[in-house]
Amino acid sequence: MSSSLPSYDEAAALVAAHAARLGLSRPSCEQVELNSAPGRVLAQSLFADCDQPPFSRSTRDGFACRAVEASKHEFLPIAGTSRAGEAPGGPLPPGAAWEIMTGAAVPSGADAVAMLEHVEAARGMVRLVAGRTLKPGENIVLQGAQAREGDELLPVGTTIRSAQIALAAACGYAALEVFARPRVAILATGDEIVPVGDSPDPGQIRNSNGPMLAAMVAAAGGEPWVLPTALDDEHALDAALAQASQADMLLITGGVSAGKFDLVEPALARAGARFHFTGVRIQPGKPLVFGELPHSSNAGSQRPTLAFFGLPGNPVSSAVTFLLFAAPVLTALAGSRDLGPRFALARMGPRADRHGKAGLTRFLPASCTFSAAASELPEVEFVQWQGSGDLAALARSNCFLVIPEEVHSLEPGAIVRILIP
């Protein structure tokens, strides 16, 4: 093993710095309807069109009142009723209560809401039950407590999920300004690769990496562009790289090892590539290549170079290296502030039968089970696999267990890191 290869942390830091530089130049923008916005990235900040909430509202069914008066435990006459959707009532007369429903506007003069189950009623009057007291502000969200009119609620670069959709809807945004999705060329290489719909001859396999990476690119905010498979031939590779140079990013699978027919690195060099690294001390995925190519003159990109990743051809290796290295660059190209990758803590299950490898950080297919108990870490177990070509093991996993290069073995119950797709 060459000691000149960067460690995972060193390679990740280099990629993160490149992604941060990419994030300084924003992609072009477009407007999309709200129901088409999930997964997109905000290109314009989202502002509150009014106070949030726009009126002081009750968080419980019960009775609006003055906390001091209610805490005396004397009967208070019910002066009115408010339902959600009605205009604010009131003012609340002194020494009175106001029946109110969850979400309704609190009448002026009231400073608390007594919960329905905390009062007793008799002859049109209510009082707090013995032992209960109220504090001003209890069970009320005051007008503007969440935001004031004109406040920035979401900054540029926010990835839009369900919560952001709800906030935008509450502020009257029927459409949002978002960044255009970066176009990612996906090039599988190898004489042994045939289209998905074909029946492979002996020694051939179907192109599984193309559809897998297309799905991963789409999930990370990109627009996948799957190119025809390139044969292990110099002219075919040169032509494919020339076509791919019109994209915003390039993913190549296969042909990046040191074998006789691994022709991708020489082809990249002929295309004018600048290599940042040509291998990382990880398993799987050690032959990973990262660099930049000159952009095609007709690509229309604002950036002078095209980031590329040469991913190993085995599918587990391709998936791991995409998540660790390609996804952060892609999300930066998409304009997002959340560059990943995503790690979490888990507890090792009882079958801790994998060991570390000196000098290599390992990312192994694993299955994480989440407990209903909030106080417990999720439990992770290795998925039995037959190496980095084992697609069935990859499909059975929902994370990758991280074994740092200095760790020799994992004990049951150990706190570990997992990589989350």
mmCIF file of all heavy atoms in Angstrom, residues 54-107:
data_model
loop_
_atom_site.group_PDB
_atom_site.id
_atom_site.type_symbol
_atom_site.label_atom_id
_atom_site.label_comp_id
_atom_site.label_asym_id
_atom_site.label_seq_id
_atom_site.Cartn_x
_atom_site.Cartn_y
_atom_site.Cartn_z
ATOM 1 N N PRO A 54 -50.158 35.464 13.254
ATOM 2 C CA PRO A 54 -50.690 36.807 12.980
ATOM 3 C C PRO A 54 -51.581 37.345 14.089
ATOM 4 O O PRO A 54 -51.980 38.509 14.059
ATOM 5 C CB PRO A 54 -51.487 36.596 11.686
ATOM 6 C CG PRO A 54 -51.826 35.144 11.671
ATOM 7 C CD PRO A 54 -50.702 34.442 12.354
ATOM 8 N N PHE A 55 -51.904 36.508 15.067
ATOM 9 C CA PHE A 55 -52.697 36.933 16.233
ATOM 10 C C PHE A 55 -52.285 36.030 17.400
ATOM 11 O O PHE A 55 -51.743 34.935 17.196
ATOM 12 C CB PHE A 55 -54.197 36.801 15.971
ATOM 13 C CG PHE A 55 -54.612 35.464 15.406
ATOM 14 C CD1 PHE A 55 -54.831 34.373 16.243
ATOM 15 C CD2 PHE A 55 -54.761 35.286 14.040
ATOM 16 C CE1 PHE A 55 -55.181 33.142 15.734
ATOM 17 C CE2 PHE A 55 -55.108 34.039 13.518
ATOM 18 C CZ PHE A 55 -55.330 32.972 14.363
ATOM 19 N N SER A 56 -52.510 36.501 18.605
ATOM 20 C CA SER A 56 -52.244 35.650 19.765
ATOM 21 C C SER A 56 -53.265 34.514 19.774
ATOM 22 O O SER A 56 -54.469 34.766 19.720
ATOM 23 C CB SER A 56 -52.351 36.459 21.058
ATOM 24 O OG SER A 56 -51.340 37.442 21.096
ATOM 25 N N ARG A 57 -52.770 33.281 19.800
ATOM 26 C CA ARG A 57 -53.692 32.141 19.662
ATOM 27 C C ARG A 57 -53.553 31.176 20.828
ATOM 28 O O ARG A 57 -52.504 31.067 21.474
ATOM 29 C CB ARG A 57 -53.452 31.407 18.353
ATOM 30 C CG ARG A 57 -52.070 30.793 18.220
ATOM 31 C CD ARG A 57 -51.943 30.035 16.899
ATOM 32 N NE ARG A 57 -50.614 29.479 16.708
ATOM 33 C CZ ARG A 57 -50.192 28.324 17.209
ATOM 34 N NH1 ARG A 57 -51.033 27.603 17.930
ATOM 35 N NH2 ARG A 57 -48.978 27.893 16.999
ATOM 36 N N SER A 58 -54.629 30.481 21.071
ATOM 37 C CA SER A 58 -54.660 29.493 22.141
ATOM 38 C C SER A 58 -54.068 28.176 21.650
ATOM 39 O O SER A 58 -54.333 27.746 20.526
ATOM 40 C CB SER A 58 -56.092 29.260 22.621
ATOM 41 O OG SER A 58 -56.139 28.222 23.574
ATOM 42 N N THR A 59 -53.295 27.527 22.515
ATOM 43 C CA THR A 59 -52.749 26.212 22.179
ATOM 44 C C THR A 59 -53.557 25.076 22.790
ATOM 45 O O THR A 59 -53.186 23.914 22.640
ATOM 46 C CB THR A 59 -51.283 26.103 22.658
ATOM 47 O OG1 THR A 59 -51.248 26.218 24.083
ATOM 48 C CG2 THR A 59 -50.425 27.184 22.040
ATOM 49 N N ARG A 60 -54.655 25.410 23.478
ATOM 50 C CA ARG A 60 -55.483 24.390 24.130
ATOM 51 C C ARG A 60 -56.967 24.755 24.025
ATOM 52 O O ARG A 60 -57.320 25.934 23.899
ATOM 53 C CB ARG A 60 -55.141 24.275 25.625
ATOM 54 C CG ARG A 60 -53.721 23.828 25.940
ATOM 55 C CD ARG A 60 -53.542 22.346 25.640
ATOM 56 N NE ARG A 60 -52.260 21.847 26.132
ATOM 57 C CZ ARG A 60 -51.123 21.888 25.451
ATOM 58 N NH1 ARG A 60 -51.115 22.438 24.238
ATOM 59 N NH2 ARG A 60 -50.012 21.388 25.959
ATOM 60 N N ASP A 61 -57.804 23.751 24.078
ATOM 61 C CA ASP A 61 -59.221 24.001 24.345
ATOM 62 C C ASP A 61 -59.350 24.372 25.822
ATOM 63 O O ASP A 61 -58.755 23.730 26.694
ATOM 64 C CB ASP A 61 -60.046 22.743 24.078
ATOM 65 C CG ASP A 61 -60.128 22.383 22.605
ATOM 66 O OD1 ASP A 61 -59.904 23.278 21.767
ATOM 67 O OD2 ASP A 61 -60.391 21.212 22.312
ATOM 68 N N GLY A 62 -60.127 25.415 26.097
ATOM 69 C CA GLY A 62 -60.272 25.809 27.495
ATOM 70 C C GLY A 62 -60.929 27.158 27.632
ATOM 71 O O GLY A 62 -61.874 27.492 26.893
ATOM 72 N N PHE A 63 -60.393 27.982 28.555
ATOM 73 C CA PHE A 63 -61.013 29.270 28.868
ATOM 74 C C PHE A 63 -59.927 30.340 29.006
ATOM 75 O O PHE A 63 -59.014 30.210 29.834
ATOM 76 C CB PHE A 63 -61.835 29.173 30.156
ATOM 77 C CG PHE A 63 -63.010 28.255 30.030
ATOM 78 C CD1 PHE A 63 -62.881 26.904 30.288
ATOM 79 C CD2 PHE A 63 -64.243 28.745 29.603
ATOM 80 C CE1 PHE A 63 -63.952 26.039 30.147
ATOM 81 C CE2 PHE A 63 -65.331 27.892 29.459
ATOM 82 C CZ PHE A 63 -65.184 26.536 29.722
ATOM 83 N N ALA A 64 -60.024 31.368 28.138
ATOM 84 C CA ALA A 64 -59.117 32.502 28.240
ATOM 85 C C ALA A 64 -59.523 33.338 29.449
ATOM 86 O O ALA A 64 -60.719 33.521 29.732
ATOM 87 C CB ALA A 64 -59.174 33.335 26.962
ATOM 88 N N CYS A 65 -58.513 33.836 30.147
ATOM 89 C CA CYS A 65 -58.787 34.562 31.384
ATOM 90 C C CYS A 65 -57.558 35.384 31.757
ATOM 91 O O CYS A 65 -56.563 35.392 31.025
ATOM 92 C CB CYS A 65 -59.128 33.585 32.506
ATOM 93 S SG CYS A 65 -57.852 32.326 32.740
ATOM 94 N N ARG A 66 -57.672 36.071 32.877
ATOM 95 C CA ARG A 66 -56.509 36.729 33.467
ATOM 96 C C ARG A 66 -55.947 35.782 34.514
ATOM 97 O O ARG A 66 -56.664 35.311 35.399
ATOM 98 C CB ARG A 66 -56.904 38.067 34.079
ATOM 99 C CG ARG A 66 -57.371 39.083 33.042
ATOM 100 C CD ARG A 66 -57.838 40.380 33.683
ATOM 101 N NE ARG A 66 -58.277 41.340 32.666
ATOM 102 C CZ ARG A 66 -59.502 41.382 32.159
ATOM 103 N NH1 ARG A 66 -60.432 40.519 32.600
ATOM 104 N NH2 ARG A 66 -59.811 42.266 31.238
ATOM 105 N N ALA A 67 -54.644 35.488 34.420
ATOM 106 C CA ALA A 67 -54.040 34.467 35.266
ATOM 107 C C ALA A 67 -54.228 34.776 36.747
ATOM 108 O O ALA A 67 -54.519 33.868 37.544
ATOM 109 C CB ALA A 67 -52.552 34.340 34.931
ATOM 110 N N VAL A 68 -54.103 36.028 37.123
ATOM 111 C CA VAL A 68 -54.227 36.397 38.542
ATOM 112 C C VAL A 68 -55.628 36.107 39.044
ATOM 113 O O VAL A 68 -55.817 35.551 40.137
ATOM 114 C CB VAL A 68 -53.856 37.870 38.742
ATOM 115 C CG1 VAL A 68 -54.208 38.319 40.169
ATOM 116 C CG2 VAL A 68 -52.385 38.092 38.460
ATOM 117 N N GLU A 69 -56.641 36.459 38.227
ATOM 118 C CA GLU A 69 -58.028 36.236 38.652
ATOM 119 C C GLU A 69 -58.340 34.748 38.738
ATOM 120 O O GLU A 69 -58.967 34.284 39.705
ATOM 121 C CB GLU A 69 -58.982 36.927 37.688
ATOM 122 C CG GLU A 69 -58.868 38.458 37.716
ATOM 123 C CD GLU A 69 -59.748 39.121 36.670
ATOM 124 O OE1 GLU A 69 -60.253 38.400 35.760
ATOM 125 O OE2 GLU A 69 -59.940 40.333 36.745
ATOM 126 N N ALA A 70 -57.894 33.971 37.734
ATOM 127 C CA ALA A 70 -58.204 32.540 37.725
ATOM 128 C C ALA A 70 -57.535 31.819 38.886
ATOM 129 O O ALA A 70 -58.109 30.863 39.445
ATOM 130 C CB ALA A 70 -57.765 31.925 36.403
ATOM 131 N N SER A 71 -56.361 32.267 39.276
ATOM 132 C CA SER A 71 -55.614 31.588 40.344
ATOM 133 C C SER A 71 -56.205 31.801 41.732
ATOM 134 O O SER A 71 -55.744 31.192 42.707
ATOM 135 C CB SER A 71 -54.150 32.032 40.312
ATOM 136 O OG SER A 71 -53.529 31.648 39.086
ATOM 137 N N LYS A 72 -57.236 32.658 41.837
ATOM 138 C CA LYS A 72 -57.928 32.820 43.113
ATOM 139 C C LYS A 72 -58.962 31.714 43.344
ATOM 140 O O LYS A 72 -59.554 31.635 44.430
ATOM 141 C CB LYS A 72 -58.629 34.174 43.143
ATOM 142 C CG LYS A 72 -57.666 35.357 43.137
ATOM 143 C CD LYS A 72 -58.425 36.677 43.116
ATOM 144 C CE LYS A 72 -57.478 37.864 43.086
ATOM 145 N NZ LYS A 72 -58.227 39.161 43.027
ATOM 146 N N HIS A 73 -59.197 30.898 42.318
ATOM 147 C CA HIS A 73 -60.108 29.766 42.391
ATOM 148 C C HIS A 73 -61.554 30.166 42.689
ATOM 149 O O HIS A 73 -62.314 29.421 43.305
ATOM 150 C CB HIS A 73 -59.623 28.727 43.422
ATOM 151 C CG HIS A 73 -58.287 28.127 43.074
ATOM 152 N ND1 HIS A 73 -57.109 28.665 43.500
ATOM 153 C CD2 HIS A 73 -57.971 27.039 42.326
ATOM 154 C CE1 HIS A 73 -56.096 27.941 43.039
ATOM 155 N NE2 HIS A 73 -56.606 26.940 42.310
ATOM 156 N N GLU A 74 -61.914 31.349 42.216
ATOM 157 C CA GLU A 74 -63.297 31.789 42.317
ATOM 158 C C GLU A 74 -63.981 31.574 40.973
ATOM 159 O O GLU A 74 -63.345 31.602 39.920
ATOM 160 C CB GLU A 74 -63.350 33.264 42.720
ATOM 161 C CG GLU A 74 -62.744 33.539 44.100
ATOM 162 C CD GLU A 74 -62.722 35.028 44.402
ATOM 163 O OE1 GLU A 74 -63.056 35.823 43.484
ATOM 164 O OE2 GLU A 74 -62.346 35.386 45.528
ATOM 165 N N PHE A 75 -65.311 31.351 41.023
ATOM 166 C CA PHE A 75 -66.045 31.168 39.779
ATOM 167 C C PHE A 75 -66.017 32.457 38.966
ATOM 168 O O PHE A 75 -66.213 33.556 39.499
ATOM 169 C CB PHE A 75 -67.488 30.759 40.050
ATOM 170 C CG PHE A 75 -67.649 29.273 40.264
ATOM 171 C CD1 PHE A 75 -67.864 28.752 41.541
ATOM 172 C CD2 PHE A 75 -67.579 28.398 39.185
ATOM 173 C CE1 PHE A 75 -68.007 27.384 41.733
ATOM 174 C CE2 PHE A 75 -67.736 27.027 39.371
ATOM 175 C CZ PHE A 75 -67.936 26.516 40.649
ATOM 176 N N LEU A 76 -65.751 32.294 37.632
ATOM 177 C CA LEU A 76 -65.736 33.419 36.703
ATOM 178 C C LEU A 76 -66.842 33.205 35.677
ATOM 179 O O LEU A 76 -66.940 32.113 35.077
ATOM 180 C CB LEU A 76 -64.384 33.509 35.989
ATOM 181 C CG LEU A 76 -63.123 33.606 36.876
ATOM 182 C CD1 LEU A 76 -61.868 33.548 36.011
ATOM 183 C CD2 LEU A 76 -63.145 34.897 37.690
ATOM 184 N N PRO A 77 -67.688 34.203 35.431
ATOM 185 C CA PRO A 77 -68.735 34.054 34.411
ATOM 186 C C PRO A 77 -68.122 33.949 33.012
ATOM 187 O O PRO A 77 -67.106 34.589 32.713
ATOM 188 C CB PRO A 77 -69.565 35.329 34.564
ATOM 189 C CG PRO A 77 -68.649 36.315 35.192
ATOM 190 C CD PRO A 77 -67.742 35.545 36.084
ATOM 191 N N ILE A 78 -68.734 33.114 32.170
ATOM 192 C CA ILE A 78 -68.264 32.953 30.792
ATOM 193 C C ILE A 78 -68.866 34.063 29.950
ATOM 194 O O ILE A 78 -70.086 34.122 29.748
ATOM 195 C CB ILE A 78 -68.647 31.570 30.236
ATOM 196 C CG1 ILE A 78 -68.037 30.469 31.108
ATOM 197 C CG2 ILE A 78 -68.171 31.416 28.800
ATOM 198 C CD1 ILE A 78 -68.521 29.075 30.764
ATOM 199 N N ALA A 79 -67.992 34.966 29.439
ATOM 200 C CA ALA A 79 -68.465 36.167 28.742
ATOM 201 C C ALA A 79 -68.611 35.981 27.242
ATOM 202 O O ALA A 79 -69.202 36.835 26.565
ATOM 203 C CB ALA A 79 -67.504 37.333 29.028
ATOM 204 N N GLY A 80 -68.074 34.895 26.672
ATOM 205 C CA GLY A 80 -68.157 34.707 25.219
ATOM 206 C C GLY A 80 -67.468 33.429 24.812
ATOM 207 O O GLY A 80 -66.922 32.690 25.636
ATOM 208 N N THR A 81 -67.510 33.163 23.513
ATOM 209 C CA THR A 81 -66.916 31.946 22.957
ATOM 210 C C THR A 81 -66.210 32.290 21.654
ATOM 211 O O THR A 81 -66.729 33.079 20.844
ATOM 212 C CB THR A 81 -67.994 30.880 22.684
ATOM 213 O OG1 THR A 81 -68.651 30.554 23.917
ATOM 214 C CG2 THR A 81 -67.382 29.622 22.094
ATOM 215 N N SER A 82 -65.043 31.698 21.426
ATOM 216 C CA SER A 82 -64.297 31.886 20.173
ATOM 217 C C SER A 82 -63.882 30.533 19.630
ATOM 218 O O SER A 82 -63.345 29.696 20.364
ATOM 219 C CB SER A 82 -63.047 32.743 20.395
ATOM 220 O OG SER A 82 -63.392 34.078 20.685
ATOM 221 N N ARG A 83 -64.135 30.335 18.333
ATOM 222 C CA ARG A 83 -63.690 29.133 17.645
ATOM 223 C C ARG A 83 -62.557 29.486 16.698
ATOM 224 O O ARG A 83 -62.365 30.643 16.332
ATOM 225 C CB ARG A 83 -64.838 28.514 16.852
ATOM 226 C CG ARG A 83 -65.991 28.035 17.709
ATOM 227 C CD ARG A 83 -67.046 27.349 16.856
ATOM 228 N NE ARG A 83 -67.594 28.254 15.842
ATOM 229 C CZ ARG A 83 -68.440 27.883 14.889
ATOM 230 N NH1 ARG A 83 -68.825 26.610 14.815
ATOM 231 N NH2 ARG A 83 -68.912 28.767 14.025
ATOM 232 N N ALA A 84 -61.771 28.481 16.289
ATOM 233 C CA ALA A 84 -60.708 28.710 15.317
ATOM 234 C C ALA A 84 -61.312 29.243 14.026
ATOM 235 O O ALA A 84 -62.344 28.740 13.562
ATOM 236 C CB ALA A 84 -59.945 27.412 15.054
ATOM 237 N N GLY A 85 -60.706 30.257 13.465
ATOM 238 C CA GLY A 85 -61.175 30.860 12.222
ATOM 239 C C GLY A 85 -62.015 32.096 12.432
ATOM 240 O O GLY A 85 -62.271 32.832 11.469
ATOM 241 N N GLU A 86 -62.454 32.361 13.659
ATOM 242 C CA GLU A 86 -63.229 33.562 13.937
ATOM 243 C C GLU A 86 -62.297 34.721 14.277
ATOM 244 O O GLU A 86 -61.183 34.530 14.773
ATOM 245 C CB GLU A 86 -64.186 33.316 15.101
ATOM 246 C CG GLU A 86 -65.280 32.310 14.801
ATOM 247 C CD GLU A 86 -66.220 32.104 15.980
ATOM 248 O OE1 GLU A 86 -65.828 32.439 17.121
ATOM 249 O OE2 GLU A 86 -67.333 31.607 15.749
ATOM 250 N N ALA A 87 -62.775 35.917 14.028
ATOM 251 C CA ALA A 87 -62.012 37.116 14.385
ATOM 252 C C ALA A 87 -61.860 37.199 15.899
ATOM 253 O O ALA A 87 -62.696 36.670 16.643
ATOM 254 C CB ALA A 87 -62.725 38.373 13.863
ATOM 255 N N PRO A 88 -60.781 37.836 16.375
ATOM 256 C CA PRO A 88 -60.594 37.947 17.826
ATOM 257 C C PRO A 88 -61.806 38.557 18.516
ATOM 258 O O PRO A 88 -62.397 39.524 18.026
ATOM 259 C CB PRO A 88 -59.362 38.854 17.950
ATOM 260 C CG PRO A 88 -58.632 38.684 16.650
ATOM 261 C CD PRO A 88 -59.700 38.484 15.622
ATOM 262 N N GLY A 89 -62.195 37.969 19.642
ATOM 263 C CA GLY A 89 -63.316 38.501 20.407
ATOM 264 C C GLY A 89 -62.833 39.433 21.499
ATOM 265 O O GLY A 89 -61.667 39.807 21.575
ATOM 266 N N GLY A 90 -63.720 39.779 22.350
ATOM 267 C CA GLY A 90 -63.365 40.622 23.494
ATOM 268 C C GLY A 90 -63.802 42.060 23.300
ATOM 269 O O GLY A 90 -64.557 42.379 22.373
ATOM 270 N N PRO A 91 -63.387 42.950 24.178
ATOM 271 C CA PRO A 91 -62.430 42.675 25.248
ATOM 272 C C PRO A 91 -63.040 41.826 26.358
ATOM 273 O O PRO A 91 -64.248 41.803 26.550
ATOM 274 C CB PRO A 91 -62.063 44.061 25.755
ATOM 275 C CG PRO A 91 -63.280 44.896 25.464
ATOM 276 C CD PRO A 91 -63.835 44.360 24.176
ATOM 277 N N LEU A 92 -62.155 41.114 27.080
ATOM 278 C CA LEU A 92 -62.593 40.292 28.189
ATOM 279 C C LEU A 92 -62.940 41.172 29.380
ATOM 280 O O LEU A 92 -62.101 41.930 29.863
ATOM 281 C CB LEU A 92 -61.470 39.310 28.568
ATOM 282 C CG LEU A 92 -61.738 38.391 29.759
ATOM 283 C CD1 LEU A 92 -62.839 37.382 29.398
ATOM 284 C CD2 LEU A 92 -60.463 37.677 30.180
ATOM 285 N N PRO A 93 -64.197 41.106 29.855
ATOM 286 C CA PRO A 93 -64.557 41.931 31.014
ATOM 287 C C PRO A 93 -63.748 41.536 32.247
ATOM 288 O O PRO A 93 -63.305 40.384 32.374
ATOM 289 C CB PRO A 93 -66.046 41.633 31.209
ATOM 290 C CG PRO A 93 -66.510 41.056 29.912
ATOM 291 C CD PRO A 93 -65.334 40.314 29.357
ATOM 292 N N PRO A 94 -63.552 42.440 33.193
ATOM 293 C CA PRO A 94 -62.862 42.087 34.435
ATOM 294 C C PRO A 94 -63.613 40.974 35.159
ATOM 295 O O PRO A 94 -64.848 40.913 35.144
ATOM 296 C CB PRO A 94 -62.887 43.388 35.238
ATOM 297 C CG PRO A 94 -63.055 44.466 34.214
ATOM 298 C CD PRO A 94 -63.904 43.874 33.138
ATOM 299 N N GLY A 95 -62.863 40.043 35.757
ATOM 300 C CA GLY A 95 -63.462 38.972 36.548
ATOM 301 C C GLY A 95 -64.283 38.008 35.731
ATOM 302 O O GLY A 95 -65.265 37.457 36.237
ATOM 303 N N ALA A 96 -63.903 37.760 34.464
ATOM 304 C CA ALA A 96 -64.664 36.870 33.589
ATOM 305 C C ALA A 96 -63.716 35.908 32.869
ATOM 306 O O ALA A 96 -62.498 36.075 32.887
ATOM 307 C CB ALA A 96 -65.489 37.674 32.588
ATOM 308 N N ALA A 97 -64.290 34.913 32.222
ATOM 309 C CA ALA A 97 -63.546 33.956 31.398
ATOM 310 C C ALA A 97 -64.184 33.913 30.016
ATOM 311 O O ALA A 97 -65.329 34.352 29.832
ATOM 312 C CB ALA A 97 -63.550 32.576 32.033
ATOM 313 N N TRP A 98 -63.437 33.385 29.065
ATOM 314 C CA TRP A 98 -63.909 33.349 27.675
ATOM 315 C C TRP A 98 -63.639 31.943 27.130
ATOM 316 O O TRP A 98 -62.484 31.505 27.083
ATOM 317 C CB TRP A 98 -63.154 34.386 26.847
ATOM 318 C CG TRP A 98 -63.760 34.695 25.513
ATOM 319 C CD1 TRP A 98 -63.676 33.936 24.389
ATOM 320 C CD2 TRP A 98 -64.517 35.858 25.157
ATOM 321 N NE1 TRP A 98 -64.341 34.543 23.351
ATOM 322 C CE2 TRP A 98 -64.860 35.737 23.792
ATOM 323 C CE3 TRP A 98 -64.928 36.989 25.848
ATOM 324 C CZ2 TRP A 98 -65.590 36.706 23.112
ATOM 325 C CZ3 TRP A 98 -65.661 37.956 25.176
ATOM 326 C CH2 TRP A 98 -65.985 37.805 23.814
ATOM 327 N N GLU A 99 -64.680 31.235 26.749
ATOM 328 C CA GLU A 99 -64.497 29.892 26.199
ATOM 329 C C GLU A 99 -63.748 29.985 24.870
ATOM 330 O O GLU A 99 -64.061 30.829 24.023
ATOM 331 C CB GLU A 99 -65.861 29.219 25.987
ATOM 332 C CG GLU A 99 -65.744 27.756 25.579
ATOM 333 C CD GLU A 99 -67.103 27.095 25.415
ATOM 334 O OE1 GLU A 99 -68.103 27.826 25.237
ATOM 335 O OE2 GLU A 99 -67.157 25.846 25.474
ATOM 336 N N ILE A 100 -62.757 29.105 24.687
ATOM 337 C CA ILE A 100 -61.902 29.221 23.503
ATOM 338 C C ILE A 100 -61.471 27.837 23.044
ATOM 339 O O ILE A 100 -61.310 26.916 23.853
ATOM 340 C CB ILE A 100 -60.672 30.117 23.809
ATOM 341 C CG1 ILE A 100 -59.970 30.560 22.517
ATOM 342 C CG2 ILE A 100 -59.690 29.418 24.759
ATOM 343 C CD1 ILE A 100 -58.983 31.684 22.726
ATOM 344 N N MET A 101 -61.292 27.701 21.724
ATOM 345 C CA MET A 101 -60.865 26.429 21.146
ATOM 346 C C MET A 101 -59.407 26.534 20.693
ATOM 347 O O MET A 101 -58.887 27.622 20.465
ATOM 348 C CB MET A 101 -61.751 26.058 19.944
ATOM 349 C CG MET A 101 -63.244 26.196 20.211
ATOM 350 S SD MET A 101 -63.793 25.246 21.647
ATOM 351 C CE MET A 101 -65.440 25.910 21.907
ATOM 352 N N THR A 102 -58.765 25.387 20.559
ATOM 353 C CA THR A 102 -57.371 25.355 20.105
ATOM 354 C C THR A 102 -57.242 26.061 18.753
ATOM 355 O O THR A 102 -57.999 25.790 17.824
ATOM 356 C CB THR A 102 -56.880 23.905 19.976
ATOM 357 O OG1 THR A 102 -56.975 23.269 21.241
ATOM 358 C CG2 THR A 102 -55.439 23.843 19.485
ATOM 359 N N GLY A 103 -56.275 26.971 18.660
ATOM 360 C CA GLY A 103 -56.029 27.694 17.422
ATOM 361 C C GLY A 103 -56.814 28.976 17.284
ATOM 362 O O GLY A 103 -56.574 29.753 16.362
ATOM 363 N N ALA A 104 -57.764 29.222 18.188
ATOM 364 C CA ALA A 104 -58.587 30.433 18.095
ATOM 365 C C ALA A 104 -57.808 31.639 18.631
ATOM 366 O O ALA A 104 -56.885 31.517 19.441
ATOM 367 C CB ALA A 104 -59.877 30.256 18.880
ATOM 368 N N ALA A 105 -58.222 32.822 18.159
ATOM 369 C CA ALA A 105 -57.602 34.069 18.613
ATOM 370 C C ALA A 105 -58.004 34.361 20.056
ATOM 371 O O ALA A 105 -59.177 34.244 20.434
ATOM 372 C CB ALA A 105 -58.023 35.218 17.707
ATOM 373 N N VAL A 106 -57.037 34.717 20.875
ATOM 374 C CA VAL A 106 -57.286 35.037 22.277
ATOM 375 C C VAL A 106 -57.924 36.418 22.379
ATOM 376 O O VAL A 106 -57.434 37.375 21.763
ATOM 377 C CB VAL A 106 -55.972 34.983 23.077
ATOM 378 C CG1 VAL A 106 -56.194 35.415 24.520
ATOM 379 C CG2 VAL A 106 -55.366 33.580 23.018
ATOM 380 N N PRO A 107 -59.005 36.575 23.099
ATOM 381 C CA PRO A 107 -59.651 37.892 23.202
ATOM 382 C C PRO A 107 -58.731 38.889 23.912
ATOM 383 O O PRO A 107 -57.930 38.521 24.785
ATOM 384 C CB PRO A 107 -60.913 37.608 24.017
ATOM 385 C CG PRO A 107 -60.606 36.371 24.793
ATOM 386 C CD PRO A 107 -59.717 35.564 23.909
#
